[in-house]
Amino acid sequence: MPQRCAGDKAAVSLPPLVFRSPPSAAVTDAPGRQASPGSALSPGAPGSAALSPLDPCSQPLCRPQAEKRARAAPDVHYVAAGPQGAACGWRAFAPGWLQAFNTPRGFLLFLCAAAFLQGMTVNGFINTVITSIERRYDLHSYQSGLIASSYDVAACLCLTFVSYFGGNGHKPRWLGWGVLVMGAGSLVFALPHFTAGAYDAQAADGVGTCGANRSVACGDGASGLSGYRLVFMLGQFLHGVGATPLYTLGVTYLDENVKSSYSPVYIATFYTAAILGPAAGYLIGGALLNVYTDVGSRTELTTESPLWVGAWWVGFLGAGAAAFLTAIPILGYPRQLPGSQRYVVMRVSETHQLKDSGPTAASNPDFGKTIRDLPLSIWLLLRNPTFILLCLAGATEATLIAGMSTFGPKFLEAQFSLSASEAATLFGYLVVPAGGGGTFLGGFFVNKFKLRGAGIIKLCLLCTLTSLLASFIFFIHCPNVPMAGVTASHSGSLLPDGHLDLTAPCNADCACRPEHYSPVCGSDGLTYYSPCHAGCPGAAVPSPSGQKVYRDCSCVPQNFSSGFGHATAGKCTSTCQRKPLLLVFIFVVIIFTFLSSIPALTATLRCVRDRQRSFALGIQWIVVRTLGGIPGPIAFGWVIDRACLLWQDQCGQQGSCFVYQNAAMSRYMLISGLAYKVLGFLFFAIACLLYKPPSESADGLGASLPSQSSASDNATDLPDAPSALQPHSDV
């Protein structure tokens, strides 16, 4: 390369190329390829005839261009990437047909597959089957919470190590091995199905009706099946370890192998695949739960039975096998894709400028390769105010995303009186287009408008402000569907808040137990706690429409004939007229929250040193998970529990909440949403004010390079003239 002319082995090949003919001929031929106006090879230049083929490094063949670049970019180090390290394959096996995938688009394809599997498994299958796992292995809610949190705990423990050493290592190998570990975690998670034995449960017809045998065993002894929670926690821990490189090393590998204007589109495509994964997980997992857990066995249980357990484990087996197949091609990619080095200076020119240039050790090409450089790396990031504020803003957004993804279906279920499956399906219809579309549009806007530095942060600021204003929709709520003994008396009049009276003269002789919660909708429009509380004496009979109908219920008045009324299994439907308005504004909040995710990530990559980008993403993910991802669901759960009207009674112990007060739930959601949105807006605003644009030297550096609009992400588009940013193929 031009900077390594003296004593460089690559320059040995220059003399036979230039002096194959007499010197005069070389001089007349050189200006067409090598010389530039005013260079030492220009006609009439002194010393142009004094060149000697015996002293190749004294030739001014490349000195002017090198000196010009050296003056413009004294801190940029170029490393030649030889073809032997840029081929796609596994050790000696690198066939020519495989090189068609050795492009940014080829790598993006396999990386999206890995992100899709991660989202489908961790955010799709886990959330779908957690209730079935609790039922099958006698787990409490806090134990299933520990299973879910094991993923974030593993990620926090591994992020520093993976992002620091993986950022300076062979990123595709780190990614490939991570996907393998993630696949192993899926297989471990499905292991209890094969070791716990067959599931044995008997259906109990008529339980919950007036006059039925309602004895409940309240023993303290727990079955040995609850010990399998440790196996589930291990599987989730491996999921977290394996997924750690995806969102740190995977993002930086994409960013450093495409030009900076294309990077947001590539990253947005990657994150869109990660968001579409949970949608597939909900659909596939929900379909598998309609299949009995012991596939091939016959059972009298139906899918509506509280004892039903579906085939929760099948999805994890498929995800584990798919992860192994996806890891193989990722392991074959080189350290750098062909033609990637010309994008180095474009990224450096956008780096946030500190008050001083920082320690000179950070400019060393070997910086960051040993554990001794870790304290200095952390100190450099802590001195970057833009990076710190972007991390805090990301934590506030992560709190909202984590809280809403966990309790969003519960909010819709309470507001619109839906079943759990209907609420989850409706929430999926909102999140998939809003989350996926917002993520992709965020990267598209950054690329479309050629945003850089402060412009990207201003886009995040605008998105946060829009979603903040849309959050005021939570002032509106749907009234509770009247429930006998909870929100309304058995005669239909409203009850004051907190006044429960489930027992009435019409069901006093039924001796109804609070453990049997099975809501039914009476023909009078009231929802009853159970068929027993509605005074229904017999088991349900199927109606022509397929619904279960209880006849002669003593608490349900008959309006148009003598005798008692009837009740239908399930809660009464809501007639709320505000449902479309609520759904539209919730969609707006979700899409603008995700719209700022890729711009914020791009701003993080642009405001730190080039060698610290992987480590910076690792530190950011630690901050986001520690301050947002882990406490977010806990905070939202605590707030939503304040709106509970009716708690589950498990042999005298409080269980989960059955009925929420809709007005209080909307009010608490509004307060929480506004608090975190205001904090995020302030963090983005301060980051925009403190961000220092590139200095004049960086601008001059960018001007000396090919413009981003003229650069391409394909190696075949390199200009014919030699450049300091081109890899030499003749070394």
Side-chain angles (χ1 to χ4, degrees), residues 446-539:
V446 173
N447 177 52
K448 179 68 175 179
F449 300 107
K450 308 298 181 185
L451 299 179
R452 299 178 65 185
I456 299 177
I457 303 178
K458 290 178 181 178
L459 176 60
C460 299
L461 196 63
L462 177 62
C463 295
T464 305
L465 178 61
T466 305
S467 58
L468 188 153
L469 296 177
S471 299
F472 283 98
I473 192 61
F474 288 110
F475 268 125
I476 301 176
H477 68 276
C478 289
N480 284 86
V481 174
M483 185 173 185
V486 180
T487 61
S489 65
H490 285 76
S491 61
S493 60
L494 295 178
L495 288 177
D497 295 342
H499 182 78
L500 300 180
D501 188 14
L502 295 176
T503 303
C506 59
N507 60 23
D509 296 334
C510 296
C512 302
R513 299 283 302 181
E515 290 83 8
H516 296 137
Y517 176 70
S518 179
V520 294
C521 180
S523 56
D524 58 347
L526 284 179
T527 299
Y528 294 86
Y529 188 89
S530 69
C532 180
H533 289 82
C536 305

Side-chain angles (χ1 to χ4, degrees), residues 492-643:
S493 60
L494 295 178
L495 288 177
D497 295 342
H499 182 78
L500 300 180
D501 188 14
L502 295 176
T503 303
C506 59
N507 60 23
D509 296 334
C510 296
C512 302
R513 299 283 302 181
E515 290 83 8
H516 296 137
Y517 176 70
S518 179
V520 294
C521 180
S523 56
D524 58 347
L526 284 179
T527 299
Y528 294 86
Y529 188 89
S530 69
C532 180
H533 289 82
C536 305
V541 294
S543 65
S545 61
Q547 292 181 316
K548 291 183 177 181
V549 179
Y550 296 88
R551 303 290 182 182
D552 299 327
C553 301
S554 59
C555 292
V556 183
Q558 184 63 272
N559 297 327
F560 52 87
S561 64
S562 59
F564 298 119
H566 65 275
T568 306
K571 295 181 290 186
C572 296
T573 58
S574 174
T575 58
C576 180
Q577 302 297 323
R578 301 167 182 171
K579 180 178 179 180
L581 184 64
L582 274 170
L583 293 179
V584 168
F585 275 88
I586 291 175
F587 182 88
V588 173
V589 172
I590 296 174
I591 193 172
F592 277 95
T593 299
F594 280 91
L595 192 64
S596 64
S597 59
I598 297 302
L601 182 64
T602 306
T604 301
L605 292 172
R606 297 292 175 263
C607 74
V608 297
R609 295 172 181 266
D610 189 67
R611 289 184 172 272
Q612 285 193 294
R613 289 178 304 122
S614 295
F615 184 59
L617 282 186
I619 296 297
Q620 185 180 54
W621 273 107
I622 291 177
V623 174
V624 167
R625 291 182 184 277
T626 304
L627 300 182
I630 296 176
I634 300 175
F636 269 77
W638 182 84
V639 167
I640 288 179
D641 280 344
R642 306 278 75 76

Side-chain angles (χ1 to χ4, degrees), residues 173-342:
R173 291 180 184 172
W174 282 81
L175 288 165
W177 282 106
V179 176
L180 287 175
V181 172
M182 189 171 62
S186 296
L187 298 182
V188 170
F189 202 93
L191 185 63
H193 170 76
F194 301 97
T195 59
Y199 178 56
D200 184 18
Q202 300 294 330
D205 295 333
V207 172
T209 58
C210 184
N213 183 10
R214 290 168 298 278
S215 60
V216 179
C218 295
D220 296 331
S223 67
L225 295 176
S226 62
Y228 280 104
R229 68 183 184 276
L230 300 178
V231 181
F232 293 127
M233 292 175 65
L234 176 61
Q236 272 288 76
F237 192 89
L238 292 177
H239 283 153
V241 172
T244 299
L246 272 179
Y247 300 99
T248 52
L249 305 183
V251 171
T252 53
Y253 188 79
L254 284 176
D255 184 67
E256 66 193 16
N257 284 283
V258 297
K259 64 178 182 178
S260 57
S261 61
Y262 282 0
S263 176
V265 177
Y266 277 76
I267 297 175
T269 304
F270 167 65
Y271 272 85
T272 302
I275 292 176
L276 294 178
Y282 278 108
L283 294 176
I284 299 174
L288 291 174
L289 289 183
N290 291 325
V291 181
Y292 189 58
T293 182
D294 296 324
V295 178
S297 302
R298 300 188 62 181
T299 178
E300 297 179 357
L301 297 175
T302 62
T303 55
E304 291 81 13
S305 173
L307 301 176
W308 174 269
V309 174
W312 60 269
W313 50 275
V314 176
F316 293 96
L317 288 183
F324 287 139
L325 295 177
T326 305
I328 295 175
I330 295 178
L331 287 169
Y333 275 89
R335 182 186 293 263
Q336 287 181 319
L337 294 178
S340 62
Q341 287 185 295
R342 54 197 160 138

Side-chain angles (χ1 to χ4, degrees), residues 18 21-31:
V18 178
S21 58
S24 59
V27 174
T28 58
D29 182 65

